[in-house]
Amino acid sequence: MSAQAKKYSGQPLKRIEDPRLIKGIGTYTDDLRLPGLLHVAFVRSPHAHARVTSIDTSVAKAIKGVVAVLTGADVNEKCGVVPCAAAIPDLKLPKHTVLAGDRVYFVGHPVVVVVADDAYAARDGVDAVEVEYDPLPVVVNPEEAIKPGATLTHPDLGTNVAFTHNVNGGTDIDEAFRRADRVIKQRVYHQRLTPMPIEPRAVVASYHAGEGTMSIWSSTQVPHYLRTLLPGMIGVAENKLRIVAPEVGGGFGAKLNVYAEEALCGHLAMRLGAPVKWAESRRENATSTIHGRDQIGYYEVAVKNDGTILGLKARTIADLGSYCQLLTPAVPTLTGLVLTGCYRIPAVKMEIVGVYTHKMATDAYRGAGRPEATYLIERLMDLVAKELGLDRVDLRLKHFPAPTEFPFGTACGVTYDSGNYQGALEKARQLADWKALMSERTAARKSGRLFGVGVSTYVEICAIGPSAAMPAGGWEWGCVRVEISGKVTAITGTSPHGQGQETSFAQIVADQLGVSIEDVVVMHGDTAVAHYGRDTYGSRATVIGGTALVMCTDKIIAKAKIFAAHLLKVAPDQVAFADGQFSAPGAEKTLSLAAIAGEAYVAKNLPPGLEPGLEASSFFEIPNFTFPFGTHIVAVEIDRETGQVAIQKYVAVDDCGPQINPLLVEGQVQGGIAHSIGQALFEQTVYDENGQLLTGEFMDYAMPRATDIPEYILGHTVTPSPTNPLGIKGVGEAGTIGATPAVANAVIDALESLGVTHLDMPLTPERVWRAIHQRTVATV
Amino acid sequence: MKITTSAAVAAPREHVFSALNDRGVLRRCIPGCEELTDVDEETFAVKLKLGVAGIKGKYAGTATRQDLLPPESFTFALDGKGKTGFVRGTAAVRIETQGEASRIDCEADVQIGGAIAAVGSRLIGAVARKLTRDFFRELADAIGAPPDVSDQNEIDALPDPGRDERLE
Amino acid sequence: MYPAPFEYLRPATIDEAIALLVTHGEDAKILAGGHSLIPAMKLRLAQPRYIVDIGRIRGMSHIRETAGRIVVGAMATHDAIERSALLREKCPLLPETAGHIGDVQVRNKGTIGGSLAHADPAGDWPAAVLALDADIELAGPRGRRTVKADGFFVDLLTTATAPDEVLVEIRVPITSAKVAYEKTEQKASGFAIAGVAVVVEQGGVRVGVTGVAAKAYRAKAVERALAGQSAPTAEGIARAAALAAERVEALGDIHASPEYRLHLAEVNTARALRRAYGN
Ligand SMILES: Cc1cc2nc3c(=O)[nH]c(=O)nc-3n(C[C@H](O)[C@H](O)[C@H](O)COP(=O)(O)OP(=O)(O)OC[C@H]3O[C@@H](n4cnc5c(N)ncnc54)[C@H](O)[C@@H]3O)c2cc1C
């Protein structure tokens, strides 16, 4: 890295991408209008499990404007199966065809596809298709599903257990439990959630028969994954396939996938010789786009009476739904990676059982695995403190590794890169005015109010990830080109969809090259432009993608120095670069990067042996994950009569290393906490006992609103990561990881006087009221 | 979903029983019934235009009588579907004499699916009650009993995030 | 999200609207603010063949004082009611209730007439018009008639309005400031799980409850318990409020069990009464 003064990095610059979005002139997939565009709609199963006995498409086909009505029999042989990329040994996979075959396995399972001149005719066509179903027994409860004799989700698999994954780490677990003074046990249910990005999915596909090339626009987080995986599904070679992720209105993991609809649209464009578009409705998004979480866990902690934690045992039952989407089975295994949280816990044993049920697949949802782990360990820390009558903050402090102990290896088998957990906790306590808050808590309780304070100290995994830990490469690619005009084009293989890297990457590149940020354009999300990439998920883009760009600028500066030396007639090692100017001792003039770029492309005076042009590309392979951390402190008050929870104070201190753009960091943290408040207090995806989804619209799926979100008091500490030259760690999921347990712990703390030690989320008013009511009745 | 309904009709139970097993009476009393045709002795087919206010859908289905025990009880096995969803399940009917009148207890155990389940869950229970109330009102009228139908209804078994049994 | 085909009709007068309703019978639906009807059409739960848009008929969105009564046109939006200076002064329950409906976008489009005609069991307006003992004016082919709020809500989504009638206006008394609306929201939709409106008058009180049962109702047992008292004690209010859910058959769904709804009816009644009485 060059020794540049940092003019932009560290500045809270407003997002370059915002004006077009605020003005409504961004281009989302559904905004695309291609000549002759046809519209796609799906007939989806109303049953969670049924045999399809007959399909009559004749009436639908006769509707004016309907172009094609196709069933599984028409397309499944011609389209490859929906892929699962998780590398889990002995994973049992059902065959996941793009349309249902003779059975349907979840409500929302696509059965028939209708293509028409316009979206209205397509929808009319859907209504006119007659499908006869013979309903079959349904299994929706994963704990029931693993009992002997349970109804089978996929009878041909012979079992509902997709896989069993074991984590055995650190010292001997049995020994730890033998030495324990006490064993504390808790069952915890992590509810199912619907990601609900503001923009549902959408796909446009266009096939050029003459060239044999296909372009697919998709509202996706992973255009490069699609370019790798769709060829096997639709039979178009990778180098004839272009994927574009235009403006993408949020993903949260729901768009980190390869979906049947994406392949089908490609297939239809080829088959019908016309471009096609599918735009998902909100209800389809609720039924047929992946869900998140849904884990039931049984936990046991072995402790000494002084609070020393000796070991942790866990058995987790992960509800996968009926199919494995791209990473479905991998997500629960991520829980095993940070189960010990910020703490020195010498022995860990975890068994994860992945179970099929007649529901939509679960997969990566913001935080993916880490929110589950953090919630568990943070609930357990409170339970241990409570049981042993210890101060919960002291208990946490007691188990933190010292800042000097990093890199810190854990019993879960990962090595935390750097950390100062004590620092973040201390700062959070300062910002929360901890002493005053505790006196307020005491005073409130004396007067009979249900007032609680929750603490969560978390560590998470970002920069996902080193290639060794990934199914297919965890590096990132970037390319920087200084144009003939001196303007700079930076191309990233990541695929921002709300994170703001058009801004933060411009900050990095402008600082590296000493140019004005106005002269830098960041391009992404189009595989014809960003040839390689591993896209955006797992809080990886800035750390890995940003570093790839730094590597490019280093190469450019090195080459530009050779040009400068040639032009200034000095030896290359005499050239210095600072503030965008190349200079040498004794040389008459200095040269700007733009001047050198001009020479590099005009190419009339090239240094001997040097290629023209000023462009470089790089792949960055990160040596380890990064491990951001922090402390969240929440105060809540509960309305005793109604069970309503009101958040009184919210303090978050997050350490994601040096911040490229503090405004973007704050935005990520704020959004993440909002997500968490939603999960802790309101959100839950509900299926009834027949597998009917009852939360199919915003009418019934309770998203947090602006008015539910308190004023945040945000702070940060800065502990650089040794894994990358920028020292950064990533922050895209931190809020969803640190906040959920803090809110839940606060609510449970408020109910402490009633003898409540645990409640499962969401902590809805009725659930809280029942807890209060039963305890009050029982103790009166 | 389980829907328990009770109604009192001021007529002897033999009367009520035969009315409930008379397809002419049923055609008249089933809310929204547009067509009722015999399939065989135990089964009839219906076409309904059902719903409340503007939220109406067309449904077609069958009802099969089982476990006939005159004049005390019988069960209908129900199976119907329309564009907005489907209903399947059973409705067990018991009739008891209460003085001059009869008390009808109906215990329906139905599965409701499709759009009506996905977006109408908050209203389904209430709609079911309204339809049963309408049915009994018509029934009383058909029998010639006073139209004053008192009812006591209960709906349960909707999964309730506030009390998920999986969590207890 | 694409409705079934329909024909769009736009009458210029109330009489024209009625004529269209008569001609097309049950295939026609009035369109007011569209914020209940259009979502149902987009989900294809409602598939009217004719849409009669009454949005361009003049003189249906007035808010004024006439002959000692407050008159609100059916097409007055929730937002117009919330902002009306006249109502804030002379019938403050209406602006208070309006402020609880949906969000700003919903309030900008939705109308009081549409909301009453739709009679969603969780709508907010029914509680207010019951507590105000409103007169609801309907116009139809047989002329005009007035229905008392108490008899207007017949059942779930069903009112005294005939399919060929147009709800034209609501008339309510001028009240003191001794009114209150207490609502517990369903977290997802924002509709009422239990909403209680209270109007205290000389020698009595009226209580309207929405969200709890298949239709909004007057909690007459509460009213009787407080009859004749101008300043009930805290215990008196608590005892009366405990009757708010008496003999009520409550709704239950994934958001609130019948038991919780009944409990909230009592809690919100007590809160609304305390506020209205200034207790
Ligand atoms: C996101 C959202 C949130 C909402 N939240 C709430 C809430 O918190 N509380 C609440 O109370 N409501 C809420 N609503 C509903 C909203 O208030 C509606 O506007 C209202 O219920 C219906 O009024 P409308 O003018 O939109 O009627 P429309 O939707 O146009 O019509 C509704 C029905 O009434 C009939 N109709 C309309 N006007 C007349 C008339 N003058 N005469 C006869 N029949 C007529 C129509 O034919 C139709 O059947 C919400 C709606 C949305 C979309």
Side-chain angles (χ1 to χ4, degrees), chain C residues 29-37 54 74 78 100-102 106 110-111 114-115 117-118 123-124 165-167 183 189-191:
Chain C
K29 271 270 140 205
I30 290 179
L31 175 74
H35 269 46
S36 290
L37 182 58
I54 59 171
H78 311 322
H100 282 275
I101 299 175
V106 173
T111 67
S115 185
H118 188 58
D124 290 298
E165 282 182 314
V166 181
L167 196 165
K183 171 184 181 183
S189 71
F191 275 85

Side-chain angles (χ1 to χ4, degrees), chain C residues 153-175:
Chain C
F153 302 103
V154 175
D155 205 334
L156 178 79
L157 303 175
T158 312
T159 70
T161 320
D164 56 6
E165 282 182 314
V166 181
L167 196 165
V168 289
E169 66 184 28
I170 295 100
R171 290 188 296 270
V172 293
I174 290 171
T175 69

Side-chain angles (χ1 to χ4, degrees), chain A residues 705, chain C residues 35-36 76-79 81-82 93-112 115-116 122-126 128 181 183 185 189-192:
Chain A
R705 299 166 191 229
Chain C
H35 269 46
S36 290
T77 61
H78 311 322
D79 179 71
I81 294 171
E82 187 184 7
L93 182 63
L94 292 178
E96 183 182 347
T97 305
H100 282 275
I101 299 175
D103 50 40
V104 180
Q105 281 156 299
V106 173
R107 295 200 286 274
N108 270 332
K109 293 298 291 179
T111 67
I112 188 168
S115 185
L116 293 174
D124 290 298
W125 283 129
Y181 182 57
K183 171 184 181 183
E185 277 186 13
S189 71
F191 275 85

Side-chain angles (χ1 to χ4, degrees), chain A residues 693-725:
Chain A
L693 180 70
L694 302 185
T695 46
E697 295 279 347
F698 286 135
M699 281 286 281
D700 289 299
Y701 189 80
M703 299 286 288
R705 299 166 191 229
T707 48
D708 297 316
I709 305 305
E711 203 96 28
Y712 301 126
I713 302 168
L714 301 181
H716 60 268
T717 54
V718 179
T719 309
S721 170
T723 60
N724 67 86

Side-chain angles (χ1 to χ4, degrees), chain A residues 124 641-642 700 705 708 766, chain C residues 44 187-188 257 260 263:
Chain A
D124 291 345
E641 279 186 317
T642 63
D700 289 299
R705 299 166 191 229
D708 297 316
E766 176 159 2
Chain C
R44 298 202 171 194
K187 199 58 228 164
S257 64
Y260 186 54
H263 168 73

